[in-house]
């Protein structure tokens, strides 16, 4: 099994941090929770973006190296293929971002901060040009991936920084006044572009659950449910609580939401390295069913999947939905954010199990 996929969550995480640093640099300090970000964070995130973006090219280089040798393969990919040209832009813009994050941190009022969005979006545009969506839908796929990737990063990166590095929590209500509507817009773009991309990559969504790609996609979709619940808590409910209780500390709930976001990064990274299920039956013949699918359906080898509701499935789904509601209840009862997070994670396990219990092969 290839472990290249581990670099994808790191790429998402690092790019999201750069997006968060960019957004926070453009917002007046009076409307942010007063970040105390380590000096190394921006350069480290930039280096990670440059390093992890190179992995897809490294895979191509390693594929051809046995035929033409490593250095000839390297030279061809880097200097003759469009992928190499686009990566050169990522490398240059990542270096620019590293310099800008350090410069703007030292002098927050510097006009150079307005170059950060250009460099950030330039990196995303270069990434959009050589991914699976671009090969499927050409320019429309590039645009969809660009919207999906940047919206995810702007929303999650800003939340990550506010939750883990915010020091002046008395300004959290001012932060929410602009962050909450921005997050709603980003989530709409992420969901809309994600559904569009899914139509091309996974035309048989339920049948694809038998494959590793489909299993990861299902878990990712289920993880979005507690993420949306936490978004409702951290946006709407926290704003109401702060109006009544200025001493309330919202960062623990933001950190819990950021952990869910990290899990979505991990699952997405794993999913993107699995064979895409354009034709589920053909992919099953070559790669076989996913081990996690076989836990619930031992002996399965082929066949379309259909829903066949069982008590196990219904009870699991019902408890899962109750646990989702318990996230909101934990906040309203002033219980810990950890209880809300554990409740959300347990909901994911039960909803996943409920769906697995509720499908059968025909």
């Amino acid at each position: 099994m290839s472990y290249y996929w581990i670099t994808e969550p790191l790429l998402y995480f690092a790019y999201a941090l750069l997006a968060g640093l960019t957004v926070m640099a453009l917002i007046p300090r009076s409307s942010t929770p007063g970040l105390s970000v380590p000096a190394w964070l921006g350069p480290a995130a930039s280096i990670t973006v440059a390093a992890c973006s190179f992995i897809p090219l490294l895979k191509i280089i390693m594929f051809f190296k046995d035929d033409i040798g490593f250095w000839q393969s390297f030279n061809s990919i880097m200097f003759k293929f469009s992928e190499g040209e686009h990566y050169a832009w990522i490398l240059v813009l990542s270096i620019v971002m590293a310099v800008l994050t350090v410069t703007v941190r030292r002098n927050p009022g510097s006009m150079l901060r307005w170059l950060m969005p250009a460099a950030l979006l330039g990196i995303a545009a270069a990434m959009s040009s050589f991914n699976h969506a671009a090969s499927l839908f050409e320019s429309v796929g590039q645009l969809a991936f660009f919207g999906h990737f940047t919206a995810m990063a702007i929303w999650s990166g800003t939340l990550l920084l506010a939750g883990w590095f915010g020091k002046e929590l008395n300004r959290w209500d001012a932060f929410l006044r602009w962050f909450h509507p921005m997050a709603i817009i980003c989530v709409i773009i992420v969901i809309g572009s994600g559904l569009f991309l899914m139509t091309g990559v996974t035309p048989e969504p339920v049948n694809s659950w038998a494959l590793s790609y489909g299993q990861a996609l299902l878990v990712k979709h289920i993880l979005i449910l507690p993420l949306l619940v936490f978004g409702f808590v951290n946006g709407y409910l926290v704003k109401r609580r702060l109006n009544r209780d200025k001493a309330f500390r919202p960062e623990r709930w933001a950190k819990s939401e950021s952990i869910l976001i990290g899990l979505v990064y991990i699952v997405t990274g794993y999913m993107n390295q699995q064979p895409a299920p354009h034709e589920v039956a053909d992919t099953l013949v070559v790669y076989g069913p996913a081990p996690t699918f076989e836990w619930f359906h031992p002996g399965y080898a082929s066949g379309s999947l259909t829903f066949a509701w069982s008590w196990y499935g219904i009870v699991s789904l019902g408890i899962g939905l109750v646990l989702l509601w318990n996230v909101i209840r934990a906040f309203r009862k002033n219980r810990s954010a950890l209880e809300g997070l554990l409740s959300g994670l347990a909901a994911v396990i039960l909803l996943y199990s409920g769906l697995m219990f509720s499908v059968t092969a025909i």
Side-chain angles (χ1 to χ4, degrees):
M1 177 182 174
S2 170
Y3 290 96
Y4 285 120
W5 71 269
I6 295 172
T7 60
E8 279 216 36
L10 293 176
L11 172 62
Y12 303 150
F13 185 70
Y15 186 81
L17 287 177
L18 290 181
L21 289 170
T22 301
V23 172
M24 290 294 195
L26 302 179
I27 299 295
R29 185 179 172 83
S30 59
S31 296
T32 72
L35 300 186
S36 179
V37 179
W40 52 263
L41 188 67
S46 302
I47 292 170
T48 303
V49 167
C52 294
S53 300
F54 180 70
I55 298 302
L57 278 73
L58 179 62
K59 290 171 66 178
I60 303 174
I61 292 169
M62 298 304 286
F63 181 80
F64 288 113
K65 81 175 178 61
D66 290 339
D67 295 329
I68 60 176
F70 179 82
W71 286 111
Q72 188 172 346
S73 174
F74 178 85
N75 285 327
S76 297
I77 300 301
M78 295 304 294
F79 302 110
K80 296 179 182 175
F81 282 42
S82 60
E83 286 84 352
E85 178 187 340
H86 295 144
Y87 176 72
W89 278 108
I90 294 174
L91 181 61
V92 170
L93 291 172
S94 296
I95 295 171
V96 170
M97 278 300 289
V99 174
L100 288 174
T101 55
V102 173
T103 305
V104 172
R105 182 180 182 276
R106 290 177 179 170
N107 182 13
S110 170
M111 294 302 291
L112 289 175
R113 69 186 190 279
W114 295 102
L115 293 178
M116 293 176 71
L120 183 83
L121 296 178
I123 292 172
M127 287 182 185
S128 305
S129 61
F130 61 91
N131 61 61
H132 196 58
S135 64
L136 278 176
F137 302 108
E138 298 182 341
S139 57
V140 178
Q142 292 181 37
L143 183 63
F145 178 86
F146 178 83
H148 194 74
F149 189 64
T150 54
M152 174 277 299
I154 289 170
W155 155 52
S156 61
T158 306
L159 182 73
L160 282 169
L161 290 180
W164 291 92
F165 299 107
K167 297 300 178 186
E168 298 179 47
L169 303 177
N170 58 324
R171 297 204 296 254
W172 199 274
D173 52 345
F175 164 68
L176 284 180
R177 277 198 285 273
W178 62 267
F179 174 72
H180 190 203
M182 184 189 80
I184 291 173
I185 293 170
C186 287
V187 169
I188 291 172
I189 293 173
V190 168
I191 293 176
S193 55
L195 290 174
F196 170 77
L197 293 171
M198 193 179 78
T199 59
V201 180
T202 319
E204 304 171 72
V206 176
N207 286 336
S208 74
W209 293 355
L211 301 167
S212 294
Y213 186 102
Q215 285 280 294
L217 181 63
L218 175 62
V219 173
K220 178 183 174 181
H221 286 165
I222 295 174
L223 274 169
I224 290 174
L225 296 176
L227 197 53
L228 292 175
V229 174
F230 267 88
F232 175 70
V233 169
N234 283 321
Y236 182 69
L237 295 184
V238 164
K239 200 185 304 181
R240 293 182 60 184
R241 176 73 62 86
L242 286 171
N243 287 334
R244 302 192 309 270
D245 179 9
K246 297 297 182 186
F248 176 68
R249 296 180 64 84
E251 82 280 10
R252 297 189 183 99
W253 286 87
K255 286 178 181 176
S256 297
E257 184 176 349
S258 71
I259 290 171
L260 288 170
I261 290 171
L263 291 175
V264 173
Y265 290 166
I266 293 170
V267 174
T268 305
Y270 174 79
M271 181 186 77
N272 287 342
Q273 296 300 318
Q274 303 307 309
H278 301 297
E279 295 288 344
V280 172
D282 295 343
T283 311
L284 263 175
V285 171
V286 178
Y287 298 99
T292 48
F293 185 79
E294 290 184 304
W295 293 348
F296 294 88
H297 302 279
Y300 171 84
S302 63
S304 299
L305 301 183
T306 187
F307 282 100
W309 300 104
S310 67
W311 281 112
Y312 293 126
I314 293 171
V315 170
S316 297
L317 290 170
I319 297 175
L321 293 174
V322 170
L323 287 170
L324 278 182
W325 167 250
N326 191 55
V327 176
I328 297 174
R329 187 170 179 272
F331 179 85
R332 286 181 165 165
K333 296 293 183 183
N334 207 25
R335 292 174 179 163
S336 72
L338 179 61
E339 178 184 330
L341 177 62
L342 293 176
S343 188
L345 293 175
V348 170
I349 294 171
L350 283 163
L351 291 172
Y352 166 78
S353 301
L355 289 173
M356 285 296 98
F357 282 130
S358 300
V359 292
T360 187
I362 56 175

